[in-house]
Amino acid sequence: WRLLQAMAATSTPTLVWAQRYEKVFVTFEMIKCENVSVEFSEGLLSLEATANGKVYKLENMPLFSEIVTEESKWKVNDRAVIISMKKKEAIWWDVLTKEKSYKRFIKVDFSKWCEEEDKEYTGEVAGFDDGGMGGMGGMGGMMGGMGGMGGMGG
């Protein structure tokens, strides 16, 4: 009975993604994930996690292109599961997955996104290797200087 209950409560995780010249970054944004499991195969991604009593599962999602499993990695922090996958070929990916049924669960991570011509395109996402998560915070300070519209009286 518990197995049936767990299967009924399984949801597809919503993912955000971005890419660089040699890597693809995927984030499952969910507070306090537990029992996290991420598996890579050459052209597939699997993820399972529990959060707030709900099981999220992504099984063998076909990626746009193949990855190097030995050089792909993942980590968990208080707010997300962060995945970094090494592309087998350094080519531009048009989408994260070829499978159209996943389209509604995948969004672009505009905070990390780079176009092919951007100089940052060949770099690493800030904070992945040093244990920090720099660059993932809020967008504080972006509206500075907008203030009131003084002097517009009639």
Side-chain angles (χ1 to χ4, degrees):
W1 167 245
R2 277 209 179 287
L3 181 62
L4 286 174
Q5 205 173 19
M7 286 174 64
T10 299
S11 298
T12 301
T14 298
L15 307 173
V16 290
W17 80 289
Q19 66 180 310
R20 296 291 187 273
Y21 182 68
E22 294 184 336
K23 294 187 178 180
V24 173
F25 303 101
V26 177
T27 306
F28 170 47
E29 296 173 331
M30 184 59 64
I31 294 173
K32 295 185 179 165
C33 283
E34 300 171 329
N35 306 321
V36 178
S37 167
V38 176
E39 292 180 29
F40 306 108
S41 59
E42 291 204 351
L44 302 170
L45 172 65
S46 297
L47 170 114
E48 188 169 349
T50 305
N52 304 321
K54 198 171 189 180
V55 177
Y56 293 88
K57 194 168 191 171
L58 182 71
E59 229 173 333
N60 295 324
M61 181 180 76
L63 298 167
F64 179 77
S65 191
E66 289 188 3
I67 58 171
V68 180
T69 57
E70 306 79 42
E71 294 183 46
S72 298
K73 54 194 173 191
W74 61 278
K75 70 177 192 175
V76 181
N77 66 21
D78 290 346
R79 299 183 323 206
V81 177
I82 302 111
I83 302 166
S84 172
M85 296 181 288
K86 170 98 163 112
K87 296 177 182 177
K88 195 167 196 175
E89 289 180 73
I91 58 170
W92 182 260
W93 288 20
D94 294 328
V95 291
L96 178 61
T97 178
K98 299 175 201 175
E99 182 58 54
K100 296 198 184 329
S101 65
Y102 289 109
K103 192 173 182 180
R104 65 189 181 114
F105 299 104
I106 299 170
K107 297 173 175 62
V108 172
D109 188 347
F110 287 106
S111 68
K112 294 184 188 126
W113 192 263
C114 284
E115 296 294 335
E116 271 181 288
E117 59 273 1
D118 292 344
K119 62 180 171 24
E120 295 87 9
Y121 180 58
T122 55
E124 178 73 64
V125 167
F128 195 89
D129 289 324
D130 63 13
M133 286 310 301
M136 284 194 62
M139 304 294 262
M142 287 196 59
M143 296 303 283
M146 293 290 285
M149 299 293 279
M152 304 258 327

